[in-house]
Amino acid sequence: MLRLFVLLILITAGYITMVRADLTIQQIPGQAELGTVEILGVGSGKFRPKLWEKGNLNFVPDIRHPLIEPRKRGLFRNIYAPSVVETPNGWRIFYGAWDGVDSGNDRIYSVFTQDFLDFQDRQIIIEHGRFIHVCNVSAIRLPSGEYRLMCTVYPDAKKLNKPATFHSYDGIHWNGKRMPYHAELSDIISIDGYDKYAEADINGMNVLLYENKLFRLYFNNFKDFGKVYRATSRDGKHFEFDGAVLEIPAVVNDVKKFAVGRRVYYLMGLHMNTDKLWYSLSRDGISFEPARILAQNLGDADRYIVAIGWVVKGQRVLGFLYGAGAVPSLNRNRIFARWLQKKVVFIAEDGTKYEPSGALGPDRAIIKVPADKQVNGHFTVYDEDGSKIIVSKAPAKLISGAVYVLKNDD
């Protein structure tokens, strides 16, 4: 085990870096793939608004690119629009898709994971029913354990997209019927006070948040584009219009709330079917700051980004899932992942740097190493901004196929 016994203050390049004495790196029993090492324990800590305000965030792509692919048994394969809900035993990922089915009708699916390493119980929960499509799900889980979904349905009576809501107390029966529930016109919500609602085209922009016993709906309207709006409801079905919360020519896809001391922060994720994602912060949920770029595509496979869903554990942002594809027709999408992590770098005695090539879930970094030899050197660990050193020059030997862990020994 490599242990740091004191708190060091290093002054380098004109700034002060705090090196944490409570963190250690050690090799543990286990097997990584040959030609790589795995570093466990690198996942993000509690939400820190200052990092987000500065835009210094070390997001690492999952080495499974994509993370979730469509099933192969059907000939229609287009999977996107993820919304991730924390549960007592892990997370339930809801998503809209043609997930290996026999027709190009969007439906709502879910899959369960304990760790984003393995996935179970993949199934259709909402059939398109009366509609051609039911998609773009935004999912939450209430303190009572009840699930609420806000989805896009198409077409309404005026051949437009509208939000519709679904609920379940057990995750099996939706709107009082056993899954898969077949969506009906009566599932469409109302928004009083927004005079453009009847003619609105609300497609993939229906974000649900629950706070203080109230449901918040964040939405856009393609026929009144350039602003994100908010509405509020006590029952999750009948909403009252609150007004605009952000001016931006992009589509809202997720909003999460975090407590930081006595303050609260709201984190919004947005896309616009391009090669970028954006985020915006707010302290009251009704007035959001100008958006910042969150991420860009990594290559042809995720060239057109069509959705984003935050992955949260308590007061931590672990990362985000996003739907994206290689074609501008937006009908060959997959679900990808990026994880907010501390950055672990190994520097060999000859000065060669070995840095993470990707992540395996939110808590593991993967570093490619020589498969045929051991390398002497040291680890340096950076904070979630990817630049502030928190472990400095911890001597180690890099061994192909080995597993290491960054841990807090307090």
Side-chain angles (χ1 to χ4, degrees):
M1 184 174 66
L2 309 170
R3 184 176 179 88
L4 304 175
F5 289 95
V6 295
L7 179 66
L8 304 176
I9 300 179
L10 301 180
I11 302 177
T12 58
Y15 61 88
I16 296 178
T17 302
M18 303 299 292
V19 182
R20 289 180 52 180
D22 58 334
L23 291 178
T24 67
I25 302 178
Q26 65 184 60
Q27 186 178 348
I28 59 175
Q31 295 175 307
E33 295 295 324
L34 292 177
T36 72
V37 299
E38 289 187 18
I39 315 293
L40 281 62
V42 297
S44 63
K46 289 184 178 180
F47 181 77
R48 287 184 281 168
K50 288 185 178 180
L51 292 183
W52 293 82
E53 288 167 352
K54 292 179 179 179
N56 297 334
L57 299 160
N58 184 49
F59 281 105
V60 183
D62 199 289
I63 59 172
R64 297 160 295 178
H65 194 75
L67 179 72
I68 305 175
E69 296 188 77
R71 293 179 288 194
K72 300 297 190 293
R73 65 183 180 215
L75 301 181
F76 287 83
R77 304 168 191 147
N78 180 34
I79 179 171
Y80 58 112
S83 183
V84 186
V85 176
E86 184 181 2
T87 71
N89 301 313
W91 292 264
R92 194 166 178 181
I93 304 169
F94 296 89
Y95 58 94
W98 317 334
D99 193 3
V101 290
D102 295 327
S103 67
N105 301 92
D106 286 325
R107 302 158 170 88
I108 304 300
Y109 301 76
S110 81
V111 63
F112 176 77
T113 181
Q114 289 184 311
D115 46 24
F116 293 93
L117 302 176
D118 298 295
F119 301 88
Q120 303 88 33
D121 299 326
R122 188 165 171 169
Q123 55 198 324
I124 298 173
I125 60 168
I126 309 291
E127 276 282 1
H128 61 90
R130 158 67 177 75
F131 303 97
I132 297 173
H133 300 296
V134 179
C135 198
N136 305 113
V137 58
S138 176
I140 59 174
R141 187 171 182 271
L142 305 186
S144 64
E146 178 187 359
Y147 291 100
R148 292 290 186 106
L149 310 182
M150 191 67 72
C151 304
T152 298
V153 295
Y154 173 84
D156 70 355
K158 296 191 175 184
K159 302 187 184 304
L160 297 165
N161 293 278
K162 286 293 188 294
T165 187
F166 309 94
H167 68 274
S168 175
Y169 294 99
D170 58 9
I172 299 172
H173 297 83
W174 293 87
N175 288 12
K177 298 179 182 178
R178 192 173 183 85
M179 67 179 188
Y181 172 77
H182 290 249
E184 302 175 357
L185 273 173
S186 59
D187 299 320
I188 294 176
I189 69 166
S190 64
I191 304 179
D192 293 335
Y194 182 50
D195 58 8
K196 299 179 181 179
Y197 182 64
E199 304 296 331
D201 188 22
I202 301 174
N203 182 13
M205 46 184 72
N206 36 259
V207 175
L208 197 57
L209 177 74
Y210 186 74
E211 60 174 350
N212 305 322
K213 299 183 179 180
L214 297 172
F215 295 90
R216 310 289 194 190
L217 175 68
Y218 292 89
F219 68 98
N220 303 74
N221 175 5
F222 275 128
K223 292 194 172 183
D224 179 25
F225 201 56
K227 294 181 180 179
V228 177
Y229 297 104
R230 194 185 81 170
T232 296
S233 170
R234 292 191 178 277
D235 63 4
K237 182 74 178 287
H238 306 93
F239 287 82
E240 296 284 341
F241 185 60
D242 295 326
V245 302
L246 176 65
E247 292 194 17
I248 185 174
V251 171
V252 60
N253 256 196
D254 203 356
V255 177
K256 292 290 189 286
K257 182 180 178 181
F258 302 93
V260 183
R262 295 183 178 180
R263 292 183 172 179
V264 295
Y265 288 83
Y266 298 78
L267 176 64
M268 178 184 290
L270 308 105
H271 80 91
M272 198 52 236
N273 298 337
T274 66
D275 60 352
K276 296 181 180 64
L277 289 167
W278 293 266
Y279 70 94
S280 177
L281 295 171
S282 172
R283 293 188 180 180
D284 59 10
I286 194 66
S287 178
F288 282 79
E289 299 174 357
R292 302 168 173 85
I293 292 176
L294 173 68
Q296 283 193 263
N297 72 305
L298 297 174
D300 291 340
D302 63 345
R303 167 63 180 82
Y304 299 93
I305 303 175
V306 298
I308 174 177
W310 301 116
V311 179
V312 171
K313 183 176 183 180
Q315 297 299 305
R316 301 163 59 195
V317 178
L318 301 186
F320 59 89
L321 305 187
Y322 64 106
V327 295
S329 53
L330 309 180
N331 61 359
R332 293 178 177 270
N333 299 300
R334 308 291 185 262
I335 293 177
F336 301 83
R338 301 196 197 180
W339 307 110
L340 182 57
Q341 293 188 343
K342 302 172 184 66
K343 182 178 179 181
V344 180
V345 177
F346 186 86
I347 303 174
E349 290 178 341
D350 65 2
T352 302
K353 284 187 177 181
Y354 298 90
E355 300 188 18
S357 58
L360 184 60
D363 201 42
R364 301 186 189 186
I366 306 298
I367 298 178
K368 293 181 179 179
V369 302
D372 57 348
K373 63 179 181 179
Q374 299 180 3
V375 182
N376 293 318
H378 66 265
F379 282 113
T380 295
V381 184
Y382 300 85
D383 202 358
E384 293 160 31
D385 60 2
S387 61
K388 187 174 75 173
I389 296 174
I390 56 176
V391 176
S392 177
K393 296 183 178 180
K397 183 176 291 186
L398 213 54
I399 303 170
S400 172
V403 180
Y404 303 80
V405 62
L406 172 69
K407 61 186 294 188
N408 188 324
D409 278 356
D410 279 1

